[in-house]
Amino acid sequence: MTQLETSQITTVVTEHELHQRWKWYDYFTFNIDHKVIGIQYLVTAFVFYLIGGLMAMAIRIELNTPDADFLDPNLYNAFMTNHGTLMIFMWIVPAAIGGFGNFLVPLMVGARDMAFPKLNAIAFWLNPPAGALLLGSFFFGGSQSGWTAYPPLSLITANTAQTMWILAIVLVGTSSILGALNFVVTILKMKVPSMQWTQMPLFCWAILATSVLALLSTPVLAAGLVLLLFDINFGTSFFKPDAGGNVVLYQHLFWFYSHPAVYLMILPIFGIMSEVIPVHARKPIFGYKAIAYSSLAICVIGLFVWVHHMFTSGTPPWMRMFFTISTLIVAVPTGVKIFGWVATLWGGKIRFTSAMLFAIGLLSMFVVGGLGGVTLGTAPFDLHVHDTYYVVGHFHYVLFGGSVFGIYAGIYHWFPKITGRMMNETWGRVHFALTFVGTHLTFLPMHQLGLQGMPRRVAMYDPQFAGINHICTIGAIVLGISVLPFFFNAIWSWLYGPKAADNPWDALTLEWTTSSPPAIENWEVLPVVTHGPYDYGRTVEVNQTVQTASI
Amino acid sequence: MQDSTLNAPEISLSSAASHEEHPDLRVFGLLTFLVSESLMFGGFFASYLVLRGAAAVWPPEGTEVELLVPTINTVILVSSSFVIHLGDTAIKKNNVAGMRLWYGITALMGAIFLAGQAYEYLTLGYGLTTNVFANCFYLMTGFHGLHVFIGLLLILGVLWRSRRFGHYSATKHTGIEMAEIYWHFVDIIWIILFSLLYILTLF
Ligand code: HEM
Ligand SMILES: [Cu+2]
């Protein structure tokens, strides 16, 4: 037995001489490098996030007073629908999976690119037209029926806009299927042979689980949307009860995708958490295998709980019971992860970098949001608060606290690798403080609103709710402002920030073994894995017999 | 744990690999994609069963299906799955002419299938919007027909590349294999469709 210093990563010299970098205009072309595509996804998604955020501001200003005095109700509906749609389909999913996934997965498994680089670029370029369709729908009245597009409402309002909405979702759906199959092949087939499965970074496990989920659930949504498209435009009646159709059928098809979609959004974020926390706490992650397998467990169980969104749709009691139980079971693997991170933090030498602040912020938010989710997954309680602001409060805790915080953590963590420059930590803290305060201020009172019975998706409400709504609006404005320090920090640092070292956080995963930003071919010399991804402060025993065997 | 420095050549090969050098990546990718496609059809099948379950008479009066043409079609499509496999076997023996022959016959059979479907559409006497059964019938068979058409294009693409560029040999035949896999997929989906839309309506 010999002892090996773990922070040392052996490299093999091969014939690659590449030092080139991409020029700025390469990012506006059909480039097939996974790093370019990752950045394209991230930046595009951030633009949609800003647009969706402006819509949220408009919505909140409208709701500041009980009357519809700022937006007329139709416009309110269009804003509300497109806000939700943009945030889910054009921001979280593309940023977390497309952005981080594309940039990091090949680097983390030691590959020079994704398995199908051209397909990868095609998948990205399906996004901008989808966004254009969504925004263009405003010229046709804007889709009005919420991001769920339930018939019959979606069949009878703003048909052209609704058709554009459907086409947009089918485009992003296709994009995510193509991306997912690319991830599956890349992770399963292109991992460096020197990396054992138990040495693969947890982010890659998360992306693997996410991709399987996307492959299995997205096509079902596509099927449902095709039927809706035919109902709107070609005179069929799949969802028209007076002609033998069935509206609840749509809900099943929709939620078979859209429940797993919440895991599509959160699993990659969990992956980001599992990278950020051990690095900045300087400790091996607690329960590597438990965290890896819980991703797969979430992926499997997640496919069987969709009916908890339909407790009020005439679902028979036995079904409510079955889906209540299965919903509560998903909390277990999620709890395993949370426990793993908290245990990792426990006794760690925590560095309170901006990335770490957002990661810890996420933990606290996600616990609130997750507990809210457990209450909603319980049929009797859900019957009480269904379609009230309690639901809006819950899903914003998980979506804003759980996903946006994670994306920010990821950006602060990998910014040096992506751009070759460090971000300003002071502004990062300001950004964090504003976001943290803003999120609680906006979304915590919404739970109270919901318990008191304020319905969601309305532009006008009973004056008794005005006080709490006022607080929410102030919170939303804080949140709106919170984007500014981030925005300027990111742009300024990208242009003028101090040059980043190859491995500024002393991390052990493979992406940090290449230069910052990585050369076009990722590595001049390919890395060889000699230790686990999170072996901080540990020494690794090298098995002498294996070593001799391979000589 | 293993000191892998010594495995260097192997490492640089597989991690530099793109699908050009690694044909099995492409086949694996296609299979993954087909799993996804099956779920889309699965969504249609499930919808069909739900709608059928709620209906009193199925198919409703006046929208019965014709069996003769689709049965012939089924026989043609199922046997074409065997024919295309002969082509794949041929190329593995480096028999390019044989591959072209069998793939050509498959393409012809696919075209006959599509023609049969067109004939069926024209003679049924009801259309997409007649009732929910007709909605399902045209949508599902139409979607499947679209897949047959894509499969046909893949096969014609194989033939074209073989004639024009002399691609494919006993050692390089991934494209041929992929066309074959896709064709089998289209066939399997059809068997399910045929059972649901035609055979089960007899009971
Ligand atoms: C500044 C931050 C945000 C504010 C102030 C905000 C506010 C709102 C409001 C007031 C609604 C309307 C609720 C209703 O009428 O039902 C809404 C809906 C929604 N929001 Fe946000 N939101 C913000 C950020 C986000 C983010 C980051 C996401 C997801 C990533 C998101 C996802 C959604 C979804 C899915 C809906 C539901 C839309 C629908 O029912 O069709 N929001 N938001
Ligand atoms: Cu759900």
Side-chain angles (χ1 to χ4, degrees):
Chain A
M1 299 287 202
T2 52
Q3 299 281 315
L4 197 80
E5 232 324 302
T6 55
S7 58
Q8 154 199 350
I9 288 169
T10 340
T11 46
V12 184
V13 181
T14 59
E15 300 294 309
H16 282 281
E17 68 319 342
L18 292 136
H19 277 293
Q20 304 110 290
R21 295 281 150 70
W22 296 110
K23 302 276 184 306
W24 63 269
Y25 47 78
D26 289 314
Y27 292 88
F28 294 86
T29 60
F30 188 84
N31 194 302
I32 58 172
D33 181 16
H34 72 99
K35 300 182 291 298
V36 174
I37 294 171
I39 295 173
Q40 285 174 330
Y41 266 114
L42 275 174
V43 173
T44 319
F46 193 72
V47 170
F48 286 122
Y49 176 55
L50 290 180
I51 300 174
L54 286 176
M55 290 181 183
M57 295 301 120
I59 294 173
R60 270 324 319 174
I61 292 171
E62 162 61 48
L63 294 176
N64 196 32
T65 55
D67 295 328
D69 40 16
F70 181 65
L71 302 169
D72 81 272
N74 285 337
L75 196 57
Y76 177 90
N77 287 344
F79 269 57
M80 184 268 297
T81 302
N82 283 283
H83 159 74
T85 310
L86 281 172
M87 288 299 193
I88 287 188
F89 292 105
M90 306 300 302
W91 154 244
I92 293 197
V93 174
I97 309 178
F100 287 106
N102 272 306
F103 196 94
L104 295 172
V105 164
L107 286 169
M108 281 182 167
V109 299
R112 293 215 183 271
D113 206 329
M114 296 282 281
F116 310 108
K118 275 186 210 134
L119 196 68
N120 205 13
I122 292 173
F124 166 74
W125 284 104
L126 292 176
N127 279 275
L133 276 171
L134 284 179
L135 297 178
S137 77
F138 275 95
F139 295 107
F140 301 89
S143 43
Q144 304 268 323
S145 48
W147 80 286
T148 51
Y150 278 0
L153 185 58
S154 54
L155 294 177
I156 56 183
T157 53
N159 283 346
T160 312
Q162 199 65 44
T163 304
M164 292 168 84
W165 182 92
I166 292 174
L167 294 176
I169 304 305
V170 169
L171 281 182
V172 280
T174 313
S175 163
S176 76
I177 290 176
L178 297 181
L181 93 86
N182 218 338
F183 284 125
V184 169
V185 179
T186 308
I187 294 174
L188 292 185
K189 297 274 182 183
M190 288 172 67
K191 182 171 62 61
V192 266
S194 61
M195 180 185 279
Q196 315 296 314
W197 282 107
T198 48
Q199 291 174 323
M200 190 166 78
L202 287 166
F203 181 75
C204 298
W205 280 106
I207 290 287
L208 182 63
T210 310
S211 304
V212 171
L213 213 47
L215 281 170
L216 297 181
S217 61
T218 321
V220 179
L221 174 73
L225 291 183
V226 167
L227 300 186
L228 188 62
L229 183 86
F230 270 71
D231 268 11
I232 294 180
N233 296 294
F234 304 115
T236 57
S237 35
F238 295 104
F239 305 130
K240 293 174 189 159
D242 49 350
N246 183 340
V247 275
V248 177
L249 171 63
Y250 176 85
Q251 298 189 10
H252 280 290
L253 294 169
F254 180 84
W255 286 110
F256 186 81
Y257 166 77
S258 290
H259 179 77
V262 310
Y263 301 110
L264 286 185
M265 293 180 259
I266 206 67
L267 277 172
I269 305 292
F270 285 170
I272 294 176
M273 291 287 282
S274 305
E275 300 302 321
V276 170
I277 288 183
V279 171
H280 295 274
R282 313 309 302 155
K283 266 186 67 190
I285 190 129
F286 183 89
Y288 171 93
K289 280 191 188 159
I291 291 185
Y293 298 154
S294 64
S295 290
L296 302 179
I298 289 178
C299 156
V300 173
I301 308 171
L303 283 169
F304 296 97
V305 302
W306 77 94
V307 174
H308 62 210
H309 295 274
M310 299 165 60
F311 286 148
T312 57
S313 309
T315 315
W318 69 267
M319 257 179 142
R320 288 186 191 160
M321 185 130 82
F322 174 80
F323 286 100
T324 296
I325 293 171
S326 54
T327 302
L328 299 186
I329 289 176
V330 198
V332 175
T334 314
V336 165
K337 284 177 193 287
I338 307 254
F339 183 74
W341 299 323
V342 173
T344 309
L345 289 170
W346 192 274
K349 285 184 224 140
I350 300 178
R351 301 185 296 210
F352 289 98
T353 53
S354 305
M356 189 59 157
L357 286 177
F358 273 102
I360 296 175
L362 183 147
L363 269 182
S364 68
M365 299 275 176
F366 195 77
V367 170
V368 180
L371 289 179
V374 170
T375 60
L376 287 172
T378 318
F381 184 75
D382 182 59
L383 296 183
H384 179 59
V385 296
H386 179 77
D387 262 341
T388 67
Y389 261 81
Y390 189 90
V391 178
V392 182
H394 152 67
F395 70 65
H396 280 91
Y397 258 89
V398 279
L399 289 173
F400 210 114
S403 299
V404 177
F405 272 55
I407 293 177
Y408 281 141
I411 291 178
Y412 282 103
H413 184 69
W414 280 293
F415 194 87
K417 182 51 64 188
I418 294 175
T419 64
R421 300 198 184 250
M422 303 301 287
M423 272 182 110
N424 182 304
E425 285 290 322
T426 315
W427 283 107
R429 273 155 212 237
V430 174
H431 173 213
F432 170 74
L434 285 174
T435 317
F436 191 78
V437 173
T439 312
H440 282 297
L441 204 57
T442 316
F443 301 116
L444 198 58
M446 286 187 186
H447 290 87
Q448 182 61 22
L449 275 177
L451 291 173
Q452 290 181 3
M454 174 165 164
R456 65 190 279 213
R457 295 183 172 169
V458 287
M460 285 176 275
Y461 55 84
D462 195 294
Q464 60 159 320
F465 303 122
I468 304 185
N469 268 301
H470 199 58
I471 303 177
C472 293
T473 301
I474 296 174
I477 289 169
V478 174
L479 269 182
I481 293 172
S482 78
V483 180
L484 298 177
F486 171 75
F487 190 63
F488 291 114
N489 189 357
I491 291 183
W492 187 88
S493 304
W494 202 329
L495 295 174
Y496 311 111
K499 285 251 187 298
D502 289 352
N503 189 358
W505 314 122
D506 292 318
L508 294 179
T509 39
L510 286 185
E511 77 272 24
W512 301 102
T513 62
T514 178
S515 57
S516 299
I520 287 180
E521 293 263 295
N522 288 356
W523 286 277
E524 288 172 42
V525 288
L526 282 162
V528 172
V529 179
T530 56
H531 52 69
Y534 313 108
D535 288 342
Y536 301 101
R538 226 193 237 170
T539 48
V540 180
E541 288 185 352
V542 178
N543 190 325
Q544 198 69 55
T545 46
V546 176
Q547 208 171 19
T548 9
S550 55
I551 287 176
Chain B
M1 200 179 297
Q2 179 179 355
D3 179 346
S4 344
T5 321
L6 301 153
N7 300 333
E10 187 201 343
I11 290 161
S12 40
L13 244 186
S14 65
S15 26
S18 67
H19 62 95
E20 253 90 75
E21 299 140 54
H22 260 238
D24 65 312
L25 281 190
R26 280 200 281 163
V27 172
F28 189 65
L30 178 68
L31 289 174
T32 327
F33 180 69
L34 292 182
V35 169
S36 211
E37 283 243 273
S38 325
L39 270 123
M40 190 188 68
F41 278 104
F44 289 140
F45 297 156
S47 308
Y48 173 80
L49 289 173
V50 168
L51 292 172
R52 174 185 178 154
V57 207
W58 195 264
E61 201 91 21
T63 44
E64 290 82 7
V65 290
E66 276 298 331
L67 276 174
L68 180 65
V69 178
T71 309
I72 300 175
N73 255 352
T74 308
V75 173
I76 291 178
L77 201 63
V78 172
S79 30
S80 75
S81 247
F82 292 98
V83 176
I84 199 170
H85 187 67
L86 293 178
D88 187 55
T89 323
I91 197 69
K92 283 181 181 146
K93 296 197 186 112
N94 220 2
N95 175 1
V96 176
M99 181 279 284
R100 286 186 194 158
L101 176 69
W102 296 123
Y103 268 61
I105 296 179
T106 313
L108 191 67
M109 293 168 98
I112 294 176
F113 178 92
L114 287 177
Q117 202 168 42
Y119 172 81
E120 194 189 359
Y121 282 8
L122 291 176
T123 51
L124 267 181
Y126 54 88
L128 173 69
T129 55
T130 310
N131 58 29
V132 195
F133 172 77
N135 297 167
C136 293
F137 176 84
Y138 280 100
L139 187 109
M140 287 159 71
T141 53
F143 240 71
H144 177 266
L146 184 68
H147 281 72
V148 176
F149 184 68
I150 295 171
L152 194 59
L153 290 184
L154 290 180
I155 293 176
L156 293 178
V158 163
L159 290 173
W160 182 71
R161 281 177 61 179
S162 166
R163 289 202 162 276
R164 183 86 169 64
F165 306 108
H167 286 177
Y168 310 121
S169 63
T171 47
K172 287 196 74 176
H173 51 255
T174 317
I176 291 186
E177 222 165 281
M178 290 174 65
E180 186 196 346
I181 293 175
Y182 193 83
W183 198 254
H184 291 323
F185 168 77
V186 167
D187 195 9
I188 294 169
I189 295 288
W190 175 256
I191 293 173
I192 304 176
L193 259 184
F194 185 71
S195 321
L196 283 180
L197 284 176
Y198 296 90
I199 300 188
L200 281 184
T201 50
L202 298 177
F203 303 104

